[in-house]
């Protein structure tokens, strides 16, 4: 058990204002965050609002040109209850934690979406998210169990009905016979990354551009000294392969086709539509998500171990991906690709044991009055999210904030574990509403 176990409460220890919920002073601890993607920025937000000084170091930042974007910007950024459509999170520990983390994030993204002006700035909307199946869901035990968990998790707007197949114009010959839907946050990642960067800077974060190479553990003391930091937080995604010395990290290449969704060439798609890999007849994903008012994402692929980013609209897997989507939703045969940004591709930061949110477990042997003594590291890790970084963001950051307190209280490190009585239905502390006042997220 952590020395503290604070829930995230919007309005109490998490604020949407451009200043920290709790202002730091000269004696406040400094957290050095390595990594400037969504994981690093959300952690910065949470820690700033708890009164810490925060410095974010990154080799690159979100860009909004025709150059390669960050992985956080490439993401489909449709909130999903795990395991996600790409089906990569299978470790029991990781799944249990993820089901908890995702609901923390759900509450906060939903709260942002409930405020029209804020939703526009952050690029966050609540949309119907539909999942289709080639047989009654009861015939797919894993999917049936997941559906029941979702129905009882506290998500908004859950319903099950095969009528969704006809409602959304799904090709009956594709084989879909059952479906359910619920409301889910959909995030315009370009807009949201820009908003997050401005928000955390306004709260006092310092940004420093630098490429850090090599194992963080081996240079821990130098980094702590150079940045006058008390704790180091590793949010480097796939770079944890070297920065954490974690050989279980691997790339999961993904790609999305971007088409114009303005209602001109086909009826505007307002809801996300998906068939998961394990439910699809050919074991390949169908993933259709309205990114913003005029762009629709068509996916997807999940290719483990592929490091190259050389996919084009003519690549065989991309042509198959589009053909699947058009067979599933025939109106897409008339879709025009976005001329400025036709295909988004990136490397999801996957890990064999899946997500890691824990302290560095390696220790140093120190000389204490002539006797050897083990000293705990002051590094915390938050990486390995695969394609679920946005979905799990605030939940992981809440756990990290508690681990920071453990480090500052010089508690020994321990392996990531699930509390004995964690259950999705019991972890919901309050329902997000559009009313004012604190919104208590799950933790």
């Amino acid at each position: 058990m952590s020395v503290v176990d604070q829930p995230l409460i919007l309005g109490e220890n998490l604020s949407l204002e451009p200043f920290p919920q709790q202002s730091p002073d000269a004696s406040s601890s400094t957290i050095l965050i390595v990594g400037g993607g969504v994981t690093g920025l959300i952690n910065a937000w949470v820690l700033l609002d708890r009164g810490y000084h925060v410095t974010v170091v990154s080799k690159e930042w979100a860009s909004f040109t025709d150059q390669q974007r960050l992985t956080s910007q490439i993401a489909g950024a449709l909130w999903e209850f795990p395991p996600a459509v790409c089906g990569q999170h299978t470790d029991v520990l990781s799944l249990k934690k993820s089901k908890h983390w995702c609901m923390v994030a759900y509450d906060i993204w939903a709260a942002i979406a409930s405020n029209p002006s804020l939703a526009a700035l952050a690029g966050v909307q609540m949309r119907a998210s539909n999942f289709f199946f080639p047989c009654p869901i009861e015939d797919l035990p894993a999917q049936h169990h997941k559906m029941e968990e979702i129905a009882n998790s506290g998500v908004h707007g859950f319903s099950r009905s095969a009528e969704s197949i006809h409602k959304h114009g799904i090709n009956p010959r594709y084989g879909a016979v059952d479906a359910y839907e619920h409301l889910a946050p959909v995030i315009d990642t370009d807009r949201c990354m820009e908003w997050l960067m401005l928000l955390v800077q306004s709260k006092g974060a310092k940004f420093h551009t630098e490429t850090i190479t090599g194992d963080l553990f081996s240079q821990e003391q130098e980094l702590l000294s150079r940045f006058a930091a008390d704790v180091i937080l590793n949010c480097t995604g796939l770079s944890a392969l070297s920065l954490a010395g974690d050989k279980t990290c691997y790339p999961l290449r993904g790609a999305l086709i971007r088409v114009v969704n303005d209602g001109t060439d086909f009826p505007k798609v307002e809801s996300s539509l998906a068939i998961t890999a394990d439910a699809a007849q050919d074991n390949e994903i169908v993933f259709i998500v309205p990114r913003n008012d005029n762009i629709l994402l068509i996916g997807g692929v999940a290719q483990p171990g592929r490091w190259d980013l050389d996919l084009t609209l003519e690549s065989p897997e991309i042509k198959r991906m589009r053909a699947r989507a058009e067979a599933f939703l025939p109106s897409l045969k008339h879709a025009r690709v976005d001329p400025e940004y036709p295909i988004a591709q990136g490397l999801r930061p996957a890990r064999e044991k899946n997500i890691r949110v824990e302290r560095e477990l390696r220790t140093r042997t120190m000389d204490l009055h002539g006797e050897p003594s083990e000293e705990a590291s002051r590094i915390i890790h938050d990486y390995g999210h695969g394609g679920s970084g946005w979905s799990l963001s605030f939940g992981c950051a809440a756990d990290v904030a508690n681990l920071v307190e453990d480090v500052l209280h010089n508690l020994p490190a321990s392996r990531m574990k699930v509390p004995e009585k964690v259950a999705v239905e019991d972890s919901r502390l309050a329902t997000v509403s559009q009313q004012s006042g604190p919104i208590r997220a799950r933790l």
Side-chain angles (χ1 to χ4, degrees), residues 76-260:
L78 166 69
W79 179 94
E80 291 186 79
F81 191 90
V85 165
C86 64
Q88 295 299 311
H89 288 117
T90 57
D91 177 75
V92 173
L93 171 60
S94 189
L95 274 176
K96 285 183 178 179
K97 297 285 277 188
S98 296
K99 290 172 184 178
H100 176 60
W101 289 329
C102 78
M103 298 309 296
V104 177
Y106 185 95
D107 280 350
I108 296 171
W109 292 125
I112 293 170
S114 72
N115 181 317
S117 59
L118 185 60
L121 285 173
V124 183
Q125 302 179 59
M126 295 294 285
R127 292 182 180 268
S129 184
N130 296 264
F131 297 88
F132 300 90
F133 303 88
C135 59
I137 301 175
E138 286 80 2
D139 294 347
L140 299 166
Q143 288 295 335
H144 183 248
H145 178 68
K146 177 180 176 179
M147 181 189 73
E148 290 186 322
E149 286 189 299
I150 291 173
N152 293 303
S153 68
V155 299
H156 305 166
F158 177 86
S159 66
R160 176 186 177 182
S161 175
E163 290 300 315
S164 294
I165 299 167
H166 308 290
K167 174 184 174 182
H168 294 287
I170 307 304
N171 181 4
R173 289 177 290 182
Y174 197 85
V177 302
D178 206 348
Y180 66 79
E181 74 170 37
H182 59 80
L183 292 177
V186 179
I187 300 162
D188 182 336
T189 54
D190 282 345
R191 187 177 302 174
C192 198
M193 285 295 291
E194 182 177 25
W195 176 73
L196 285 171
M197 290 175 68
L198 292 172
L199 179 67
V200 299
Q201 285 181 300
S202 69
K203 288 177 179 289
K206 298 177 181 178
F207 283 9
H208 179 80
T209 304
E210 179 181 338
T211 300
I212 297 176
T213 59
D215 194 340
L216 291 175
F217 182 73
S218 66
Q219 52 191 316
E220 177 178 349
Q221 299 305 315
E222 186 272 332
L223 290 171
L224 289 171
S225 174
R226 181 154 62 93
F227 289 96
D230 300 283
V231 180
I232 298 172
L233 175 54
N234 172 24
C235 299
T236 57
L238 197 52
S239 293
L241 182 67
S242 60
L243 291 175
D246 190 341
K247 304 306 180 185
T248 70
C249 295
Y250 65 93
L252 186 65
R253 185 170 71 167
L256 298 164
I257 301 170
R258 295 167 51 94
V259 301
V260 178

Side-chain angles (χ1 to χ4, degrees), residues 337-418:
V337 298
D338 178 3
E340 297 181 0
Y341 185 18
I343 183 171
Q345 58 185 308
L347 304 178
R348 303 179 185 95
R351 184 172 182 260
E352 289 176 11
K353 288 294 184 180
N354 301 139
I355 303 158
R356 185 184 187 191
V357 178
E358 68 180 359
R359 292 173 58 185
E360 173 60 53
L361 300 173
R362 290 173 288 180
T363 60
R364 289 182 180 81
T365 302
M366 308 294 290
D367 187 294
L368 182 63
H369 307 302
E371 296 291 333
S373 174
E374 295 300 311
E375 181 182 71
S377 170
R378 303 181 78 80
I379 298 172
I380 298 170
H381 300 286
D382 184 3
Y383 65 85
H385 302 86
S388 300
W390 290 92
S391 293
L392 306 179
S393 53
F394 289 99
C396 293
D399 277 12
V400 165
N402 292 334
L403 292 174
V404 166
E405 286 292 320
D406 289 356
V407 172
L408 295 176
H409 283 81
N410 297 312
L411 295 182
S414 60
R415 293 189 180 277
M416 189 173 77
K417 60 184 178 181
V418 179

Side-chain angles (χ1 to χ4, degrees), residues 265-381:
D265 304 298
F266 57 90
K268 190 168 184 174
V269 177
E270 303 280 5
S271 305
S272 67
L273 313 168
I275 295 182
T276 62
D278 62 335
Q281 294 175 335
D282 55 5
N283 200 39
E284 292 191 302
I285 304 164
V286 174
F287 183 77
I288 299 169
V289 179
R291 165 52 60 84
N292 53 40
D293 291 339
N294 291 311
I295 293 295
L296 184 70
L297 303 181
I298 297 175
V301 294
Q303 299 175 315
R306 295 292 299 271
W307 287 92
D308 44 318
L309 292 172
D310 57 357
L311 295 170
T312 70
L313 292 173
E314 298 305 313
S315 298
E317 54 266 74
I318 301 302
K319 294 176 76 172
R320 287 199 311 272
M321 183 174 77
R322 183 163 189 175
R324 286 197 306 275
E326 292 176 355
F328 175 70
L329 188 64
S331 61
L332 292 181
K333 293 178 180 179
H334 307 292
R336 290 174 292 125
V337 298
D338 178 3
E340 297 181 0
Y341 185 18
I343 183 171
Q345 58 185 308
L347 304 178
R348 303 179 185 95
R351 184 172 182 260
E352 289 176 11
K353 288 294 184 180
N354 301 139
I355 303 158
R356 185 184 187 191
V357 178
E358 68 180 359
R359 292 173 58 185
E360 173 60 53
L361 300 173
R362 290 173 288 180
T363 60
R364 289 182 180 81
T365 302
M366 308 294 290
D367 187 294
L368 182 63
H369 307 302
E371 296 291 333
S373 174
E374 295 300 311
E375 181 182 71
S377 170
R378 303 181 78 80
I379 298 172
I380 298 170
H381 300 286

